[in-house]
Amino acid sequence: MSFDHRKYRRFEVPNKPDRQWPNNRIDRAPRWCAVDLRDGNQALVKPMSPAQKQRMFDLLVKVGCKEIEIGFPSASQPDFDFCRKLIEEKRIPDDVTIQVLTQARPELIERSFEALKGARRAIVHVYNSTSVVQREQVFAMDKEGIKQIAITGARLVKEEAAKYPDTEWVFQYSPESFTGTETDYAIEVIDAVNAVWQPKNGQEVIINLPATVEMSSPNVFADQVERVCEGVQQREHITICLHTHNDRGCAVAAAELGVMAGADRIEGTLMGNGERTGNMDLITMAMNLYSQGVDPELNFENMAEIREVVESCTDIATHPRHPYVGELVFTAFSGSHQDAIRKCLVRRQDGDIWNVAYLPIDPHDLGRRYEEVVRINSQSGKGGVAHVLERDYNIDLPRWLQQEFSRLVQKAAEDQGGEIDSLTIRRLFDEHYLAVPEGWQLENYDLHRGDSGVSARVVAGGREFSGVAQGVLEAVVQAVSAQSGAAIEIGEYNEFAVEGGTHASALACIRADIDGRSFSAASLGEDTSSAMLQALLSVVGQFEQAARQAA
């Protein structure tokens, strides 16, 4: 049996009955650090070219990232060269700090500082693995030996920084594979590193807690983070950072709960590109904050451009359901969803707090159009079809005609086997309701109100119809019935003013029973009278056509 759950064991949950993070809320954005150019780049089958790296760097600056990890210059010549290019060509804005990663090895630390020579401000991120599996199976070292690697690395970083006094240095340390490390031991190693760097004396220090492999549910990770925040020495003088991976599909949730647990800073990539199943998605977490009324301090208002640049630089297509970014994330095909969205949008006024069914944020905020929200296929209902006509053509249908027309659209979608676009919906409406049967085009009419009621004279197709009744519609029905010999009974009638987007100013919709059969028509006219008269003539013309075909 190859699929055997017994080869795995349950992750040990910290015993922390005093946890406080579940009662906390995120009320401001964390510090963000984008690692697209390091973690994201090393995950690509084909790493970025220098031009692609520059384009990605410029995008990260544009969306507001103030800290950007640009590579691993001690391990890669292209990364070293890119770091030098940014510094020597003065491509780093004054309010942006670059970051580089290095293992805690003397020659790699020295090379990292060479790459950063001349930078105004830079973060040197040093790490070593501390987890049980790394200690026992990879390095074959005990806890003290692993801690000494971290201490030695911290000393080397401090010594190298002293050689470049013109740069403002920030030191960052990661107990790599933190999630697989005993939390108390991780705290011991962190304290040993800080004993070298002495953040309480003014050295800026970032302690990064990486979920190098996501091994537990997000709440357990939050317990680990809270435990470090409570137990580490010099806490008030250091920045706690998180770097979550997505092996269990919970990287964003883990980061959010980790911030609730006390973390100050988050590392991630645009759209979550990274090793294995990926990194924490900066866009998703930032937009999650935005949807809760918290300023994420990152700007994604031009999401189409962001997606295009990321796809171009990574050669990875965006899933259509990717949160906030995908083509279909704001799109509703379901009829009940479409109807709810339409009703909410109709009621919404400028300045209202956003509260629209099925749309957690306003798509316009990301440069998306409402045209993309409601799209029609065989699963769509009357609300969606009505929304498209109203949105694109300013045609507002009565409920009975919404129901009737939506069945026609659904049938067309089923026959076609896919999505029905706006132009097709309008063509179907024109063909089935606005088209005037031959010989029934309204040519002229006179309407007069007198003591005996309304007298109507209507000319259509060279024929003249005259009648008198209490109302205009009744008078015309009487006139047409008398001449055609058909028994006409109006079942539904509605008229609407039409606003912009069409040459007509009125829409009339009629459903009539004629000799026991039901016919529906609509008409766009210059005024309500002409629209009403044409709609009535059209249903009679439909009846006449049906009679000829039956004969």
Side-chain angles (χ1 to χ4, degrees):
M1 180 178 178
S2 60
F3 192 76
D4 186 358
H5 68 279
R6 293 172 297 182
K7 71 169 67 172
Y8 305 102
R9 62 184 175 187
R10 188 187 303 271
F11 190 86
E12 292 189 18
V13 177
N15 181 23
K16 200 174 190 306
D18 62 339
R19 62 181 60 87
Q20 298 299 309
W21 63 263
N23 298 319
N24 297 334
R25 298 184 62 180
I26 304 177
D27 55 13
R28 62 178 181 177
R31 282 170 55 182
W32 305 107
C33 178
V35 296
D36 299 75
L37 290 167
R38 196 275 301 171
D39 209 337
N41 187 46
Q42 71 185 34
L44 301 177
V45 174
K46 181 181 178 182
M48 297 181 208
S49 67
Q52 288 172 320
K53 287 184 180 182
Q54 186 65 60
R55 192 179 183 201
M56 180 66 80
F57 180 83
D58 292 342
L59 174 67
L60 293 169
V61 170
K62 184 175 181 179
V63 301
C65 293
K66 301 304 181 185
E67 297 177 2
I68 302 172
E69 189 171 84
I70 59 170
F72 203 143
S74 61
S76 165
Q77 188 63 42
D79 278 8
F80 186 95
D81 294 341
F82 181 64
C83 182
R84 296 309 309 154
K85 173 184 172 68
L86 290 178
I87 295 169
E88 293 170 2
E89 297 181 5
K90 301 186 185 305
R91 290 177 176 265
I92 306 167
D94 289 342
D95 62 346
V96 172
T97 302
I98 57 173
Q99 173 176 307
V100 301
L101 182 71
T102 178
Q103 292 173 315
R105 290 165 50 188
E107 69 279 11
L108 300 184
I109 292 173
E110 181 180 353
R111 179 71 166 164
S112 298
F113 278 91
E114 289 176 5
L116 291 168
K117 182 180 179 180
R120 182 191 62 81
R121 173 181 161 90
I123 301 168
V124 177
H125 181 185
V126 63
Y127 74 94
N128 69 303
S129 296
T130 59
S131 68
V132 176
V133 69
Q134 293 271 13
R135 294 197 312 261
E136 294 179 351
Q137 299 191 45
V138 178
F139 297 106
M141 297 179 70
D142 59 13
K143 288 182 176 180
E144 185 60 30
I146 293 294
K147 185 172 70 173
Q148 287 303 318
I149 292 176
I151 292 171
T152 300
R155 287 174 178 161
L156 290 170
V157 166
K158 187 175 181 179
E159 291 169 3
E160 285 297 317
K163 298 177 182 178
Y164 304 91
D166 293 336
T167 298
E168 180 184 347
W169 295 108
V170 179
F171 300 158
Q172 177 168 329
Y173 172 70
S174 287
E176 193 208 4
S177 56
F178 163 75
T179 46
T181 303
E182 306 93 325
T183 307
D184 288 343
Y185 174 62
I187 292 172
E188 180 183 334
V189 175
I190 292 167
D191 285 343
V193 169
N194 282 332
V196 175
W197 286 343
Q198 290 296 318
K200 67 181 180 181
N201 293 335
Q203 172 60 56
E204 185 173 353
V205 171
I206 300 168
I207 297 299
N208 186 49
L209 306 177
T212 308
V213 176
E214 187 175 36
M215 305 174 70
S216 68
S217 54
N219 62 299
V220 174
F221 181 69
D223 281 348
Q224 293 175 307
V225 172
E226 187 173 84
R227 176 72 187 91
V228 170
C229 290
E230 292 172 343
V232 73
Q233 297 176 19
Q234 305 188 59
R235 171 66 182 97
E236 65 273 24
H237 302 293
I238 64 176
T239 296
I240 297 293
C241 178
L242 307 179
H243 182 113
T244 57
H245 277 250
N246 205 41
D247 300 89
R248 292 168 56 98
C250 301
V252 170
E256 290 181 339
L257 268 56
V259 171
M260 292 165 59
D264 311 296
R265 183 179 187 259
I266 295 294
E267 293 185 346
T269 62
L270 299 178
M271 295 160 61
N273 173 46
E275 294 279 20
R276 305 184 308 279
T277 54
N279 283 45
M280 206 289 303
D281 185 342
L282 285 175
I283 293 176
T284 298
M285 183 170 175
M287 290 308 303
N288 285 353
L289 297 182
Y290 184 81
S291 73
Q292 301 299 302
V294 177
D295 181 2
E297 300 177 12
L298 296 174
N299 189 336
F300 299 118
E301 64 183 355
N302 192 350
M303 194 63 80
E305 177 190 5
I306 294 168
R307 184 174 69 182
E308 189 278 324
V309 172
V310 173
E311 289 181 340
S312 176
C313 292
T314 64
D315 198 26
I316 298 174
T318 303
H319 193 284
R321 303 290 183 186
H322 191 106
Y324 300 106
V325 186
E327 178 188 357
L328 299 178
V329 292
F330 298 116
T331 300
F333 289 106
S334 163
S336 60
H337 292 192
Q338 293 173 343
D339 189 53
I341 291 170
R342 174 176 174 267
K343 289 174 178 174
C344 290
L345 290 177
V346 167
R347 295 184 58 174
R348 177 173 164 75
Q349 301 292 321
D350 287 343
D352 287 352
I353 292 295
W354 184 258
N355 188 26
V356 175
Y358 300 109
L359 295 178
I361 67 163
D362 186 348
H364 276 181
D365 293 349
L366 302 182
R368 301 288 290 269
R369 302 172 301 155
Y370 287 141
E371 286 84 343
E372 300 166 334
V373 172
V374 172
R375 290 165 59 175
I376 307 300
N377 64 13
S378 61
Q379 304 298 310
S380 305
K382 66 181 188 306
V385 173
H387 178 75
V388 170
L389 284 178
E390 184 178 344
R391 178 195 69 199
D392 296 347
Y393 306 107
N394 295 300
I395 296 175
D396 188 8
L397 300 183
R399 183 176 177 81
W400 64 267
L401 190 51
Q402 291 178 21
Q403 295 172 330
E404 183 178 309
F405 181 48
S406 68
R407 289 193 290 269
L408 291 173
V409 175
Q410 183 178 37
K411 178 64 165 56
E414 290 171 351
D415 292 343
Q416 181 174 304
E419 184 179 349
I420 296 289
D421 62 24
S422 173
L423 290 174
T424 301
I425 291 172
R426 178 59 194 265
R427 177 179 57 78
L428 289 169
F429 183 72
D430 290 354
E431 291 176 354
H432 287 274
Y433 297 101
L434 293 182
V436 177
E438 185 178 355
W440 289 93
Q441 179 69 50
L442 177 66
E443 297 172 359
N444 195 6
Y445 67 93
D446 290 310
L447 303 173
H448 298 284
R449 186 175 297 277
D451 294 339
S452 57
V454 176
S455 61
R457 185 182 68 86
V458 177
V459 179
R463 290 180 286 183
E464 183 174 314
F465 306 90
S466 298
V468 179
Q470 290 302 306
V472 174
L473 188 58
E474 295 172 274
V476 179
V477 167
Q478 182 192 89
V480 175
S481 296
Q483 184 163 328
S484 66
I488 304 173
E489 182 179 343
I490 302 299
E492 300 282 358
Y493 173 70
N494 302 89
E495 61 184 34
F496 306 90
V498 176
E499 299 179 358
T502 176
H503 298 300
S505 59
L507 170 70
C509 305
I510 288 178
R511 180 163 66 195
D513 290 329
I514 306 178
D515 286 357
R517 299 182 62 184
S518 181
F519 299 90
S520 300
S523 177
L524 289 164
E526 295 179 355
D527 53 64
T528 55
S529 294
S530 62
M532 177 269 290
L533 293 171
Q534 183 59 73
L536 177 60
L537 293 172
S538 291
V539 294
V540 177
Q542 291 176 14
F543 164 73
E544 187 181 81
Q545 283 182 340
R548 285 200 303 267
Q549 291 172 357

